[in-house]
Amino acid sequence: MTGQSYHIHGEDRPSRWLVTCDHATNRVPPCVGGGSLGIAPADMARHIAYDVGAAGLARHLAGRLGAPAILSDFSRLVIDPNRGEDDPTLVMKLYDGTLIPANRHVDAAETERRLNAFHRPYHAALETLASRRPDSVICAIHSFTPRLNGRGPRPWHVGVLYSHLDPRLAVPFIQRLRAEGIETGDNEPYEGHLDGDSIDTHALKPRRPNVLIELRNDLIRDEAGQIAWADRLAPILTDAFRESAL
């Protein structure tokens, strides 16, 4: 199923799991800057525009879990679906050293237009999927760059992000990843809770079990890597979920 701002894969799959991918693509719709944000193609291929490799990983992982998946269909630089509507980073004007010309003069009216066109329809569809059964479990897929400009290398293969408000699934998942010898960050490479973000909105507030998985993007740049990591993560997730008794 495809909406104006998202794609849904496996909508009728019966699993409790719901796989989400907020930053699935670097697509800029024609109604925004004529389809361009005014930055170089090399920058649009970077993590600043989308989570490299995350879409393929989300699709393959959802298939292994017998779960539906929802993927955004607009760049995070158009408007960030993993930010609350009042977040000051909702429309980024500068990201990891790159100026975003098409966002330089974005005002409240343009932000509202982008919210209505992209952000709100995506979240409405996500919530509809999450509500399809009362015991849904959210698994959010993201990726991170091995190194930000001017910063040190990030050694983790996987980062598991979670809020102190609900660590029930994330903690056993981290333990099982480490038992498998996977270099795993515990709320690394960044903190796992942001008021108004996707997990806060669709998992914490409605009290749905959840985990947010970040893969280092050099490991999942191609489909072979995405398939390999989906195959690796699915049984670990399943075992961690069973252990959590949720």
Side-chain angles (χ1 to χ4, degrees):
M1 176 180 173
T2 299
Q4 64 177 340
S5 63
Y6 59 85
H7 299 289
I8 296 173
H9 301 266
E11 185 173 11
D12 296 326
R13 291 172 184 159
S15 172
R16 285 183 66 183
W17 292 100
L18 169 60
V19 177
T20 69
C21 189
D22 292 340
H23 300 144
T25 180
N26 59 0
R27 187 178 83 91
V28 180
C31 65
V32 177
S36 171
L37 295 171
I39 64 177
D43 276 325
M44 286 302 297
R46 295 174 60 214
H47 67 96
I48 64 171
Y50 74 125
D51 282 357
V52 177
L57 176 61
R59 288 193 302 269
H60 290 298
L61 182 61
R64 305 302 185 275
L65 296 172
I70 181 167
L71 284 65
S72 67
D73 194 27
F74 54 96
S75 172
R76 68 195 301 170
L77 295 178
V78 171
I79 192 163
D80 194 332
N82 195 34
R83 294 293 183 270
E85 293 192 9
D86 59 352
D87 192 296
T89 65
L90 185 64
V91 179
M92 293 290 282
K93 300 183 179 184
L94 172 68
Y95 196 169
D96 196 25
T98 297
L99 288 165
I100 318 301
N103 291 347
R104 184 177 179 185
H105 300 297
V106 167
D107 57 12
E110 175 60 13
T111 299
E112 184 71 11
R113 187 182 74 84
R114 296 187 192 184
L115 281 167
N116 285 329
F118 309 113
H119 192 284
R120 289 171 181 153
Y122 170 75
H123 282 285
L126 197 166
E127 185 56 31
T128 296
L129 275 177
S131 300
R132 77 197 189 285
R133 52 183 297 168
D135 57 354
S136 288
V137 182
I138 307 294
C139 176
I141 298 297
H142 293 258
S143 71
F144 64 93
T145 184
R147 188 171 199 151
L148 288 172
N149 284 336
R151 308 280 184 89
R154 293 162 157 179
W156 312 281
H157 295 152
V158 178
V160 180
L161 309 190
Y162 59 96
S163 167
H164 67 283
L165 298 172
D166 187 4
R168 295 172 295 168
L169 179 54
V171 169
F173 183 52
I174 290 169
Q175 292 168 346
R176 285 190 169 270
L177 287 167
R178 289 176 172 172
E180 292 290 326
I182 297 171
E183 187 71 31
T184 304
D186 183 334
N187 269 331
E188 297 283 1
Y190 6 77
E191 288 296 318
H193 177 66
L194 186 65
D195 287 343
D197 69 6
S198 285
I199 289 291
D200 186 51
T201 299
H202 300 289
L204 295 177
K205 285 186 170 69
R207 301 184 62 81
R208 295 180 179 119
N210 63 90
V211 64
L212 190 155
I213 304 172
E214 293 262 3
L215 261 289
R216 206 177 67 203
N217 67 27
D218 59 319
L219 302 176
I220 54 170
R221 282 188 176 274
D222 59 24
E223 189 170 22
Q226 294 156 17
I227 291 171
W229 275 98
D231 288 342
R232 197 172 187 187
L233 291 173
I236 300 173
L237 262 177
T238 300
D239 288 346
F241 183 66
R242 186 181 302 115
E243 181 181 328
S244 71
L246 289 164

